[in-house]
Amino acid sequence: MEVKHKIWNSVGGRSFVILLLSGVLLIGSFFQAAASPGFQSSDEGKDIFEKNCVSCHSIGEGSLVGPDLEGVLDRRDRDWVRDFITIPDQIIVSGDPIALELLTEFNNIPMPNLGLTEAEVEALLVFLEGGESVAPVADAPLPEGNLDRGSAFFTGEDVLENGGTPCIACHTVGSVGPFGGGNLGPDLTRVYGRFGEAGLTGVIKDIAFPTMQGIYVDKALTDQEIADLLTFFATVDAEGEEGVADSATTTFWIIGLLGSGILFGIMAFYWPRQRETLSDRLRRDAGITSRRHS
Amino acid sequence: MDVRTHMSMIFHLDKCIGCHTCSVACKNLWTDRKGAEYMWWNNVETRPGTGFPTQWENQEHFRGGWERKKGKLDLKLHTRLEGIFKLFYNPSLPGLRDYYEPFTFDYQNLFNSPKKDVQPIAEPISMITGDPIDIETGPNWDDDLGGSNIYAKNDVNLEDLPQEVREQMNELERLVFNYLPRICNHCLNPACVAACPSGAIYKRDEDGVVLVNENDCRAWRMCVAACPYKKVYYNWNTGKSEKCILCFPRMETGQAPACAHSCVGRIRYMGVLLYDADQIPTAANVPDDELIAAHREMILDPFDPKVIAAAKENGIGDDWIESAQNSPAYKFVKEWEIALPLHPEFRTMVMMYYIPPLSPVVSVTEKSLFRLDLMQEDYDFELFDRLDAARLPIKYLANLFSAGDEGTIRTVLRKLLAVRIYMRRKTVHGKVDSVSRKTLAEAGLTEEQAIDMYKMTTLPTMEERFVFPNYHREMSIKAILDPLTHKGEVGLGYIQQPKRGE
């Protein structure tokens, strides 16, 4: 079946269609470009705040893990606040005096880099300017925690209900396991003391650390699991010793190097004593020695 | 009776000219890849010789195939328990030096060499390391008795021949060789399948092709060691084992496998054989001298109404049964009984068959000098009655094709000779005399059979040599999935569907 497009078949018509289409696309792209940065509402900022900040900060309800953010924009320069929300880790490292002071004030718990985009930070600032007060998350109280279960969740002996990765994959704590835990994340021995119960609950519930966010995105911990882990962290904080994992790592290296040394030694002994191939044997019997394998 | 179908290949060794066209066709089609350079799914060996890999028949060294112990069949390679202990160290496994280090030549040097006082040369280069090497051996290093003092002399099949015969075979005037093309034998009792710890090898239902499932293969390489024919190869690049697939994609579209299709001497025939799967365990477990008879017994007569009924009960279609009735394989193996399995004593129940070669032109002694002479009738008859005078010792052929049973080989050779004598009388002299009829009768053949054998040997058309049934691949899809479920799909990646972002 052939469909005749009358406009398309004439040269003039064709140029007209192409010009029209390009025009539509061009105008559309202007609108698209113009649409991006505008329209920031304090609603959007509120959403971001409740999702990312509320586990550590309140507005007008007092300090938690981090400072009360009421009137923060009056206290600090707007640009400084914007930079600190965007790249707090770099600012702390750069030795910024305000940042260091805050760090000391809040038990050396650094503000994590949340990986917010420029637009999201802008929306957040618009929200903070509004002066609306936000109470800290008032959740139902956690159930009673169990130390053994908490320990089992940490080490992965028990599987987390929603399939989350056990903590030991990235963190070490006290003297857990013969070789300690992973060292991608920080040592969690003193984490309970640093964050406090409320802070730690908030941090586990609404994860504020970008690395962890990705891992637990659809695998949130249940309240019972959090309670168990908190009990475990509290006990470790009271009894455990920090830095045990470091010495365990050294032992691990020594055993590993010694072991591979022994294996290589055995191999060095047996390698030249491998069975001769029939092909080589036939040639050797016939008095032909290869130049490479003589 | 459990009737199954099998695609079988017949190699008529009298017609093989040793040109290696089959090997090259196969290499170009399947193994011209990284990691597969050393593989020859099809290779042609000169006999006597050590073959490829060198001395593959030496099962005391390579431990392939099956062993009969206390009336039970066991893998010669290892028991299950031994298998676990040898999982990471398997000394029976052939290494690259058992095959050869694949090489190419630095041809670019012929074009790009700077100006010199001497001609540039193309240096040999290893296809594995890329470094220049000294070529020590190759897949057919002993071709046409090259280096026979090393290779031909050490042919495993010569072992129980009397010393004077072995020495005679080394005399220049009595030198004799023939060719032995080999592919995977697609056995009924495959040792590779039995040895695989991952269960990655399987035998296809419709035509018996033995295949490696590369998704399941975990590179244990037990198959490589267990195959007595050394026809499973390990690809060092992909970390998977590979083997001859009998060109099943070609057969499914009605074409002969590349090796058979390209054969210059037209030595290869292919067709369906019906066999009784219930008989495999018993037929594989009989004393050596009964192996051939038991094997033939297992192949069923496709004209027998009982067999046809049982075949239909097993879901074998009319076209496959008809194809089995027209099969050249059935004629050679069962009707004329002149095609034999290679090394039946390995007890893998091979499904590729060989028609043993008649010796080349007889050499006669005249005034104590050797003279190569065209065969005269007298010599024909002389040889018919005195096969021991043949240049290729009967015992040698028996070691290759009948587990050392000379009687089987004699019967086959006498049939071949009788047909030759009969047809020579008929075409050269113009009439058949009583003597030639008598020879036929003595060999156990009728005149019709002789004429059929002659025709199938010398004048077969492509359609007579290769009889393929319809494969009905559309039916096998239907068996697994409703074809309508594929409607609207891309039709790509039946096994592994393409997924965005993976």
Side-chain angles (χ1 to χ4, degrees), chain A residues 36-53:
Chain A
S36 308
F39 312 125
Q40 260 148 19
S41 70
S42 60
D43 280 354
E44 201 184 329
K46 191 175 181 185
D47 283 350
I48 297 169
F49 190 87
E50 283 176 349
K51 218 154 116 196
N52 295 288
C53 317

Side-chain angles (χ1 to χ4, degrees), chain A residues 50-291:
Chain A
E50 283 176 349
K51 218 154 116 196
N52 295 288
C53 317
V54 84
S55 54
C56 297
H57 298 282
S58 76
I59 301 180
E61 302 281 336
S63 292
L64 302 163
V65 179
D68 186 343
L69 294 182
E70 189 176 26
V72 67
L73 289 171
D74 305 331
R75 293 199 298 271
R76 315 265 182 233
D77 182 32
R78 193 176 196 276
D79 284 350
W80 185 89
V81 175
R82 190 192 58 224
D83 289 347
F84 196 71
I85 298 175
T86 321
I87 41 166
D89 44 347
Q90 291 176 33
I91 289 180
I92 294 170
V93 169
S94 74
D96 181 274
I98 311 173
L100 289 181
E101 188 189 315
L102 284 170
L103 190 64
T104 332
E105 190 181 337
F106 289 94
N107 306 324
N108 279 329
I109 303 171
M111 160 113 169
N113 187 334
L114 299 165
L116 297 176
T117 65
E118 211 175 302
E120 283 169 331
V121 174
E122 196 56 41
L124 204 52
L125 288 173
V126 170
F127 167 69
L128 288 174
E129 277 163 355
E132 202 177 323
S133 72
V134 174
V137 215
D139 282 318
L142 289 174
E144 186 76 11
N146 177 310
L147 175 64
D148 291 341
R149 273 209 309 265
S151 160
F153 285 138
F154 186 92
T155 57
E157 257 170 76
D158 283 358
V159 178
L160 293 170
E161 192 182 319
N162 294 327
T165 314
C167 321
I168 198 167
C170 303
H171 296 283
T172 186
V173 63
S175 50
V176 69
F179 298 117
N183 51 14
L184 177 67
D187 186 330
L188 296 184
T189 313
R190 299 275 174 256
V191 73
Y192 190 83
R194 271 189 289 155
F195 279 74
E197 186 175 346
L200 200 52
T201 315
V203 169
I204 302 179
K205 221 169 211 178
D206 301 298
I207 291 163
F209 312 104
T211 316
M212 286 177 71
Q213 273 167 353
I215 296 170
Y216 293 96
V217 65
D218 292 321
K219 298 166 180 174
L221 273 64
T222 64
D223 282 354
Q224 181 62 53
E225 284 163 358
I226 293 173
D228 296 339
L229 280 172
L230 281 179
T231 317
F232 172 66
F233 284 134
T235 318
V236 171
D237 188 32
E239 300 167 1
E241 263 177 79
E242 222 167 5
V244 177
D246 290 342
S247 64
T249 311
T250 319
T251 325
F252 180 73
W253 271 101
I254 291 169
I255 293 175
L257 286 173
L258 270 179
S260 47
I262 292 169
L263 284 178
F264 276 116
I266 294 173
M267 209 166 99
F269 179 79
Y270 281 109
W271 190 263
R273 289 167 180 75
Q274 286 179 97
R275 187 166 77 153
E276 188 180 28
T277 67
L278 286 175
S279 181
D280 283 337
R281 191 193 302 171
L282 292 187
R283 282 193 294 274
R284 183 169 53 78
D285 289 349
I288 299 175
T289 46
S290 110
R291 265 175 280 177

Side-chain angles (χ1 to χ4, degrees), chain B residues 376-388:
Chain B
Q376 292 165 14
E377 300 137 42
D378 294 348
Y379 295 122
D380 277 356
F381 287 111
E382 208 176 320
L383 204 58
F384 186 80
D385 290 331
R386 301 192 302 113
L387 275 172
D388 297 314

Side-chain angles (χ1 to χ4, degrees), chain B residues 417-430:
Chain B
L417 268 176
V419 172
R420 185 186 276 186
I421 293 164
Y422 173 84
M423 285 312 297
R424 181 169 298 154
R425 289 291 158 110
K426 199 171 171 180
T427 51
V428 178
H429 297 247

Side-chain angles (χ1 to χ4, degrees), chain B residues 31-96:
Chain B
T31 58
D32 194 9
R33 290 169 285 127
K34 191 179 173 193
E37 301 94 344
Y38 79 98
M39 295 181 198
W40 293 88
W41 291 358
N42 180 107
N43 73 310
V44 183
E45 297 170 0
T46 300
R47 288 310 170 118
T50 48
F52 173 77
T54 308
Q55 274 207 344
W56 57 270
E57 291 149 300
N58 185 345
Q59 303 307 354
E60 291 319 306
H61 186 88
F62 287 121
R63 309 200 64 76
W66 298 88
E67 217 172 14
R68 232 174 135 227
K69 277 187 223 154
K70 297 173 201 157
K72 246 184 77 189
L73 271 195
D74 266 322
L75 278 182
K76 200 177 168 77
L77 185 62
H78 51 55
T79 63
R80 281 177 181 225
L81 191 68
E82 286 167 354
I84 290 175
F85 287 112
K86 285 186 185 170
L87 213 48
F88 295 102
Y89 172 66
N90 185 358
S92 309
L93 192 66
L96 192 68

